[in-house]
Amino acid sequence: MSLLKVENLTLQFKTDEGLITAVDNVSFEVNAGEVLGLVGESGSGKSVTAKSLMKLNPENAVYSPESSIELNLDDQKIDVLSLTSGQDLKPVRGGSVSMIFQEPMASFAPAISIGEQMVEQLMLHKKISKSEASGISIEMLDRVGISDASKRFKQYAFELSGGMRQRAMIAMALSTRPSLLIADEPTTALDVTIQAQVIDLMKDLIAEFGMGIIFITHDLGVIAQTADRVAVMYLGKIVEQGSVRDVIKNPAHPYTRGLLNALPKLDDLDTPLTPIPGDIPSPLERPAGCVFHTRCPVSEERCKQSVPEYEQRSGSHKAACFVTATEGNLP
Amino acid sequence: MSDQGLIEADKLSVHFPIGGGLLRRPKMLRAVDEVSLSIPKGSFFGLVGESGSGKTTLGRAMLRATPITSGGVRYSDGEVEYDLVNLPKSELIEYRKRAQLIFQDPYAALSPRMTVRDIIAEPLEVMKITNSRDETDARVREIAEKCRLNLEHLRRFPHAFSGGQRQRISIARALVSSPRFVVADESVAALDVSIQADILNLLKALQQELELTYLFISHDLSVVAHICDHVAVMYLGRLVETAPTRELFTAPRHPYTKALLSAIPSLDPDQRGNAQKLEGEIPSPTNPPSGCKFHTRCPHAIDICKQTEPALDHLGSEHDVACHRWQELAHIP
């Protein structure tokens, strides 16, 4: 049984301009010890999807009745969307499910020491004393490669460098020993050399703790280096999903192909960069038919009218495209 | 390098005092430290380094947008020549017409209360380049077309546009005064990949059409590899290596350049974890290490690196490197 099972997740926001669809019929699973990469550009709905796993979306979010998010822990099964009270939500908000955010500076309170924040959240989720919580926190800081952990424990976020803050954030998220970790663009704000260190650290921690990870990023290079499976999102839909090898080496959706062609590659400096034409449509003007048809280089008449089925291509590789289904993948 | 540099920096330093008081001497933050660099006319010159390496400050110094502590910068485009360190105010205004800046964040750089037309026209009005409204409008329309903006959009406000369109507006604003030299500071960093390629292609096309020289500041080496013809690598305010792009990417000589290149995540899932890892983080520029500034993180540092700062060695006509051991280490990837 998979650790996390998301089925037919549809999420709309009530706004003055009407209902906006942010996530459209998305299904995926994450197993323990597995890294699922969630890739997409801004506005693709990847963060909203991740937040709904913790029910962190604002009050105007409306989940469709078919949506289901199921978390299978060792001792219990949690139907996340049915949770309402703060007490019930505790396990999915920091207990068994933890989240690492993109901006480590904005995620720590500036006037409270790193240690105090770590201890506070640990004591919320575990029945332990303050000194035990401090011990665990310092041990975790040490584990994520922060030297002089007991000194750092007493410091404030502004006293740490960007890479150090992100390590502290990871230490904090992992101190409750979650079964599922959601990492939302954890390396985007970091320099490449620090990014490489953080990616290494996360790989070590997966091997050690065996949790499932949802790794959200717009960087396909980072995905290639970390994920086991990838789901590519565009305008709230998963358009392609499969093993990282299948998706990156043999993409079945024109959008994934477009993303790869737009990416500057170091081993091929002569091929000109090919942008995906046009801009991402506003969520208020979702295209009919296939959501990608307005920017797709191979779109046909049927793409404008009907929505392509999200179907199996080979093994666990799935994609939603009329054209590649009949004519094969794009070069 | 050749003697036809459009901009030439000679031992350029920019230091900022921090702290200090009535009786205490302030500490000096050496943001840019004795950098000598020549940007050839018509080149797409890349400047890379981690945050805190001083690349933005160097770009601003070349625009005279930050005070220069010591050293010299000379601008010469064949028509005029300026000594940027001792530039009288009247000439500074003239220099501004010839040197412009494109910002990083197209969401923050455009005033939400001005129409696109007014945003693009503002430099012309402030610098008194045009004499009549008709002339201004003509210039605005001309540059807007070159930047592939829809002319109907000129009446709208920035909020109506996507990130890519906004960046095209920023570019039009920077180019409307017909500059020769443009500093693009992380100009594609805030954009999505699919849009980023479009803006890079636009910058390249405009370079040829308008005969521009760019200083392209970026932390993204793969972008720089694709668009620039020369690259300079900075670390803690020092220039550590500069070379033509292809040479730098195929035969990097400085250990820092090598580490930066290998830290770029490979798109090939089968090539995992063979990156050469750099330990630690960039030290604080207020308290830089002695000797070679990179020695605290360098896997090949020896005693001399801790004591003496290496000078820039000339490997070829255009390839310079500042490392004591580059010759011994040449064969190590």
Side-chain angles (χ1 to χ4, degrees), chain A residues 235-255:
Chain A
L235 272 188
K237 268 187 154 349
I238 292 186
V239 294
E240 178 165 5
Q241 188 172 180
S243 76
V244 69
R245 242 170 229 93
D246 285 345
V247 173
I248 288 183
K249 294 200 160 169
N250 192 16
H253 198 281
Y255 176 59

CSV table of all heavy atoms in Angstrom, one decimal, chain A residues 235-255:
chain,number,residue,atom,x,y,z
A,235,LEU,N,-0.9,24.2,-15.9
A,235,LEU,CA,-2.2,24.7,-15.6
A,235,LEU,C,-3.1,23.8,-14.8
A,235,LEU,O,-4.3,23.6,-15.1
A,235,LEU,CB,-2.9,25.1,-16.9
A,235,LEU,CG,-2.7,26.4,-17.5
A,235,LEU,CD1,-3.6,26.7,-18.7
A,235,LEU,CD2,-2.9,27.6,-16.5
A,236,GLY,N,-2.6,23.3,-13.7
A,236,GLY,CA,-3.4,22.5,-12.7
A,236,GLY,C,-3.6,21.1,-13.1
A,236,GLY,O,-4.2,20.3,-12.4
A,237,LYS,N,-3.0,20.6,-14.2
A,237,LYS,CA,-3.2,19.2,-14.6
A,237,LYS,C,-1.9,18.5,-14.6
A,237,LYS,O,-0.9,19.1,-15.0
A,237,LYS,CB,-3.8,19.2,-16.1
A,237,LYS,CG,-5.3,19.1,-16.1
A,237,LYS,CD,-5.7,18.9,-17.6
A,237,LYS,CE,-7.0,18.2,-17.8
A,237,LYS,NZ,-7.8,17.7,-16.7
A,238,ILE,N,-1.9,17.3,-14.3
A,238,ILE,CA,-0.7,16.5,-14.5
A,238,ILE,C,-0.7,16.0,-16.0
A,238,ILE,O,-1.7,15.3,-16.4
A,238,ILE,CB,-0.6,15.3,-13.6
A,238,ILE,CG1,-0.3,15.8,-12.1
A,238,ILE,CG2,0.6,14.3,-14.0
A,238,ILE,CD1,-0.1,14.7,-11.1
A,239,VAL,N,0.2,16.4,-16.8
A,239,VAL,CA,0.1,16.1,-18.2
A,239,VAL,C,1.0,14.9,-18.5
A,239,VAL,O,0.8,14.2,-19.5
A,239,VAL,CB,0.6,17.3,-19.1
A,239,VAL,CG1,-0.4,18.4,-19.0
A,239,VAL,CG2,2.0,17.7,-18.8
A,240,GLU,N,2.0,14.6,-17.6
A,240,GLU,CA,2.8,13.4,-17.9
A,240,GLU,C,3.3,12.9,-16.5
A,240,GLU,O,3.6,13.7,-15.6
A,240,GLU,CB,4.0,13.8,-18.8
A,240,GLU,CG,4.9,12.6,-19.0
A,240,GLU,CD,5.8,12.9,-20.2
A,240,GLU,OE1,5.8,13.9,-20.8
A,240,GLU,OE2,6.6,11.9,-20.6
A,241,GLN,N,3.5,11.6,-16.4
A,241,GLN,CA,4.0,11.1,-15.2
A,241,GLN,C,4.7,9.8,-15.5
A,241,GLN,O,4.3,9.0,-16.3
A,241,GLN,CB,2.9,10.8,-14.2
A,241,GLN,CG,3.3,10.4,-12.8
A,241,GLN,CD,2.2,10.4,-11.8
A,241,GLN,OE1,2.4,10.1,-10.6
A,241,GLN,NE2,0.9,10.7,-12.2
A,242,GLY,N,5.8,9.5,-14.8
A,242,GLY,CA,6.6,8.3,-15.0
A,242,GLY,C,7.9,8.3,-14.3
A,242,GLY,O,8.2,9.2,-13.6
A,243,SER,N,8.7,7.3,-14.6
A,243,SER,CA,10.0,7.2,-13.9
A,243,SER,C,10.8,8.3,-14.5
A,243,SER,O,10.6,8.8,-15.6
A,243,SER,CB,10.7,5.9,-14.2
A,243,SER,OG,11.2,5.9,-15.5
A,244,VAL,N,11.8,8.8,-13.7
A,244,VAL,CA,12.6,10.0,-14.1
A,244,VAL,C,13.3,9.7,-15.4
A,244,VAL,O,13.4,10.6,-16.3
A,244,VAL,CB,13.5,10.4,-13.0
A,244,VAL,CG1,14.6,9.4,-12.8
A,244,VAL,CG2,14.1,11.8,-13.2
A,245,ARG,N,13.7,8.5,-15.6
A,245,ARG,CA,14.4,8.1,-16.9
A,245,ARG,C,13.5,8.3,-18.1
A,245,ARG,O,13.8,8.9,-19.1
A,245,ARG,CB,14.9,6.7,-16.8
A,245,ARG,CG,16.4,6.7,-16.9
A,245,ARG,CD,17.0,5.3,-16.6
A,245,ARG,NE,18.1,5.5,-15.6
A,245,ARG,CZ,17.9,5.4,-14.3
A,245,ARG,NH1,16.8,5.2,-13.8
A,245,ARG,NH2,19.0,5.6,-13.5
A,246,ASP,N,12.3,7.7,-18.0
A,246,ASP,CA,11.3,7.7,-19.1
A,246,ASP,C,11.0,9.2,-19.4
A,246,ASP,O,11.0,9.6,-20.6
A,246,ASP,CB,10.0,7.0,-18.7
A,246,ASP,CG,10.2,5.5,-18.7
A,246,ASP,OD1,11.2,5.1,-19.3
A,246,ASP,OD2,9.4,4.8,-18.2
A,247,VAL,N,10.7,10.0,-18.4
A,247,VAL,CA,10.1,11.3,-18.6
A,247,VAL,C,11.2,12.2,-19.2
A,247,VAL,O,11.0,13.0,-20.2
A,247,VAL,CB,9.5,11.9,-17.3
A,247,VAL,CG1,9.2,13.4,-17.6
A,247,VAL,CG2,8.3,11.1,-16.9
A,248,ILE,N,12.4,12.1,-18.7
A,248,ILE,CA,13.5,13.0,-19.2
A,248,ILE,C,14.1,12.6,-20.5
A,248,ILE,O,14.4,13.3,-21.4
A,248,ILE,CB,14.5,13.3,-18.1
A,248,ILE,CG1,13.9,14.2,-17.0
A,248,ILE,CG2,15.8,13.9,-18.6
A,248,ILE,CD1,14.7,14.6,-15.9
A,249,LYS,N,14.3,11.2,-20.6
A,249,LYS,CA,14.9,10.8,-21.8
A,249,LYS,C,14.0,10.5,-23.0
A,249,LYS,O,14.4,10.5,-24.1
A,249,LYS,CB,15.7,9.5,-21.5
A,249,LYS,CG,16.9,9.8,-20.5
A,249,LYS,CD,17.9,8.7,-20.6
A,249,LYS,CE,19.2,9.2,-20.0
A,249,LYS,NZ,20.2,8.1,-19.8
A,250,ASN,N,12.7,10.3,-22.7
A,250,ASN,CA,11.8,10.0,-23.7
A,250,ASN,C,10.4,10.6,-23.4
A,250,ASN,O,9.4,9.9,-23.2
A,250,ASN,CB,11.7,8.5,-23.9
A,250,ASN,CG,10.9,8.1,-25.1
A,250,ASN,OD1,10.8,8.9,-26.0
A,250,ASN,ND2,10.4,6.9,-25.2
A,251,PRO,N,10.4,12.0,-23.3
A,251,PRO,CA,9.1,12.6,-22.9
A,251,PRO,C,8.0,12.3,-23.9
A,251,PRO,O,8.2,12.4,-25.1
A,251,PRO,CB,9.5,14.1,-22.9
A,251,PRO,CG,10.7,14.2,-23.7
A,251,PRO,CD,11.4,12.9,-23.7
A,252,ALA,N,6.8,12.1,-23.3
A,252,ALA,CA,5.7,11.7,-24.1
A,252,ALA,C,4.7,12.9,-24.3
A,252,ALA,O,3.8,12.8,-25.1
A,252,ALA,CB,4.9,10.5,-23.5
A,253,HIS,N,4.9,14.0,-23.6
A,253,HIS,CA,4.1,15.1,-23.8
A,253,HIS,C,4.8,16.3,-24.4
A,253,HIS,O,6.0,16.6,-24.0
A,253,HIS,CB,3.5,15.6,-22.4
A,253,HIS,CG,2.3,16.5,-22.5
A,253,HIS,ND1,2.4,17.8,-22.8
A,253,HIS,CD2,0.9,16.2,-22.5
A,253,HIS,CE1,1.1,18.3,-22.9
A,253,HIS,NE2,0.3,17.3,-22.7
A,254,PRO,N,4.2,17.0,-25.3
A,254,PRO,CA,4.9,18.1,-26.0
A,254,PRO,C,5.4,19.2,-25.0
A,254,PRO,O,6.4,19.9,-25.3
A,254,PRO,CB,3.9,18.7,-27.0
A,254,PRO,CG,2.9,17.6,-27.2
A,254,PRO,CD,2.9,16.8,-25.9
A,255,TYR,N,4.7,19.4,-23.9
A,255,TYR,CA,5.1,20.4,-22.9
A,255,TYR,C,6.4,20.0,-22.3
A,255,TYR,O,7.3,20.8,-22.1
A,255,TYR,CB,4.0,20.6,-21.8
A,255,TYR,CG,4.4,21.5,-20.8
A,255,TYR,CD1,4.7,22.8,-21.0
A,255,TYR,CD2,4.5,21.1,-19.4
A,255,TYR,CE1,5.1,23.7,-20.1
A,255,TYR,CE2,4.8,22.0,-18.4
A,255,TYR,CZ,5.1,23.3,-18.7
A,255,TYR,OH,5.5,24.2,-17.8
